[in-house]
Amino acid sequence: MSLKLKQNELLKNHTTFKVGGQAKYFFEAKTIKDLINSIKYARHKNIPFFILGNGSNILISDQGYNGLIIKNSSSTIKLLTNNQVKLDSGVFLPKAIFFLIEQGLTGLESFAGIPATIGGAVYMNIHGHDKFFSDYLISATLLDQNNQVKEVSKNYFNFKYDYSKLHDNNHILLSVTLKLIRQSSQKAKLTTQEQLKSKSHYPQISAGCIFQNLSQNQQKKLNLPTPSTGYVIDKVLNLKGTTIGQAKISDKHAGFIENLGNAKADDIIKLINLIKKTAKDKLDLDLKLEIQTLGF
């Protein structure tokens, strides 16, 4: 099996943080067949590999990645019966939301403004308002560690807040089947616009919220009015606006670190470590990362 790989691809061009060094090898999978073949190739050649979606929830090191980055751009959306839809794991979520609303299929508008792929949405079990992505998932197609394609039900994933079973195994998500709600496109469009408006002040060159929100127990113990880590970083730790190099704890939302234009991954890591240490020292609070890190 052969694969046409790029070499020394700059990963800052493939992440929303706009940071990250070079990938030793890089391949863009435009179909599920491409995705399967590239994974089989990497496994056969014993090359470490990582599946990258839209690059919106990840911090890649300045040293890059000494293996194969597979950018998943598979993009098929297939309408099924009974308000169900099958989506490739590389489908861009904002595209899916608007396309499905036009078909009168709603529900995903709770996640408007999240620049994820379907694969990332399932992997992280993303949340919007009081909804989780898993609320709509019925089944999925995976490639297992033995390169066998298998169908699994929703229960397989053991979904929790910011978690799916995919964190703990070598299975790769190929596609999902969702059950949506048939209702007025007009109402869904309004909800989508409201969601987008509520997020319009978020910093653009970032990876989203850096840390998970606090648990109910943590919030109660610290007697806080909200579980938001942005609130803790801003109002309790007083770190909003702190800058290291070209990385800054955002003035717009302290849960975000933003790249002011030329940040290094090392600058961002230093800010992350500063926040974690200050939270531990002042509050005996252990903050958990919401983003993934790669290449450190």
Side-chain angles (χ1 to χ4, degrees):
M1 184 192 301
S2 65
L3 209 64
K4 196 171 181 181
L5 304 179
K6 287 186 183 178
Q7 293 192 26
N8 303 321
E9 179 77 6
L10 200 55
L11 294 172
K12 67 186 286 185
N13 297 330
H14 299 279
T15 71
T16 58
F17 236 151
K18 303 299 179 195
V19 298
Q22 295 179 340
K24 186 173 183 182
Y25 304 112
F26 182 90
F27 178 77
E28 184 173 7
K30 295 186 177 177
T31 65
I32 293 299
K33 186 177 178 183
D34 284 348
L35 184 60
I36 292 171
N37 286 341
S38 58
I39 294 162
K40 285 181 175 178
Y41 176 88
R43 286 173 171 170
H44 178 69
K45 298 283 188 182
N46 287 319
I47 300 170
F49 69 93
F50 183 85
I51 314 289
L52 188 68
N54 190 51
S56 62
N57 198 50
I58 191 164
L59 174 62
I60 300 176
S61 81
D62 299 318
Q63 286 70 47
Y65 183 68
N66 189 29
L68 170 61
I69 292 288
I70 302 168
K71 184 173 173 67
N72 183 5
S73 299
S74 58
S75 58
T76 300
I77 301 174
K78 188 176 181 183
L79 300 175
L80 308 174
T81 56
N82 299 321
N83 302 335
Q84 293 183 21
V85 59
K86 186 173 183 179
L87 303 113
D88 284 357
S89 54
V91 169
F92 189 44
L93 178 59
K95 173 192 165 186
I97 291 169
F98 283 107
F99 172 78
L100 292 167
I101 286 173
E102 291 297 334
Q103 314 306 311
L105 292 170
T106 69
L108 299 186
E109 56 273 11
S110 296
F111 312 110
I114 300 176
T117 57
I118 295 297
V122 173
Y123 183 88
M124 287 303 297
N125 191 22
I126 61 169
H127 48 92
H129 282 309
D130 58 346
K131 295 291 185 183
F132 285 88
F133 199 79
S134 55
D135 294 340
Y136 300 97
L137 193 138
I138 294 177
S139 63
T141 308
L142 305 174
L143 186 73
D144 71 13
Q145 69 272 27
N146 300 313
N147 294 330
Q148 298 300 306
V149 175
K150 57 193 261 187
E151 299 289 325
V152 297
S153 70
K154 172 181 175 173
N155 291 339
Y156 158 89
F157 290 95
N158 294 338
F159 285 118
K160 299 185 185 93
Y161 172 73
D162 279 349
Y163 173 83
S164 73
K165 189 177 180 179
L166 297 175
H167 286 230
D168 302 323
N169 62 28
N170 294 318
H171 294 183
I172 309 297
L173 187 74
L174 302 178
S175 64
V176 297
T177 299
L178 307 179
K179 172 92 170 180
L180 299 175
I181 303 150
R182 189 164 290 282
Q183 66 175 21
S184 158
S185 292
Q186 205 55 42
K187 185 181 174 187
K189 283 177 183 173
L190 280 173
T191 305
T192 302
Q193 292 306 323
E194 285 166 11
Q195 276 285 89
L196 291 173
K197 191 177 177 183
S198 73
K199 293 178 180 177
S200 61
H201 68 288
Y202 287 3
Q204 296 304 301
I205 310 179
S206 74
C209 284
I210 296 293
F211 295 102
Q212 292 182 7
N213 281 337
L214 275 55
S215 67
Q216 280 187 335
N217 285 341
Q218 287 172 324
Q219 183 187 349
K220 191 176 175 183
K221 182 182 171 187
L222 295 169
N223 193 26
L224 296 171
T226 169
S228 165
T229 49
Y231 177 90
V232 173
I233 294 164
D234 178 5
K235 305 296 184 187
V236 185
L237 305 181
N238 298 310
L239 290 174
K240 182 193 255 190
T242 304
T243 303
I244 295 178
Q246 287 270 294
K248 180 180 184 179
I249 299 172
S250 177
D251 289 324
K252 299 171 184 174
H253 185 317
F256 289 64
I257 292 174
E258 61 181 313
N259 179 351
L260 297 177
N262 201 26
K264 300 292 183 191
D266 282 352
D267 299 333
I268 295 164
I269 284 291
K270 284 173 186 171
L271 272 184
I272 288 171
N273 289 337
L274 172 67
I275 295 167
K276 287 175 82 170
K277 183 177 188 306
T278 309
K280 185 66 176 174
D281 291 349
K282 277 194 175 184
L283 305 172
D284 194 28
L285 176 63
D286 293 307
L287 291 176
K288 288 186 179 178
L289 280 180
E290 183 163 297
I291 63 168
Q292 279 186 283
T293 58
L294 183 68
F296 287 94

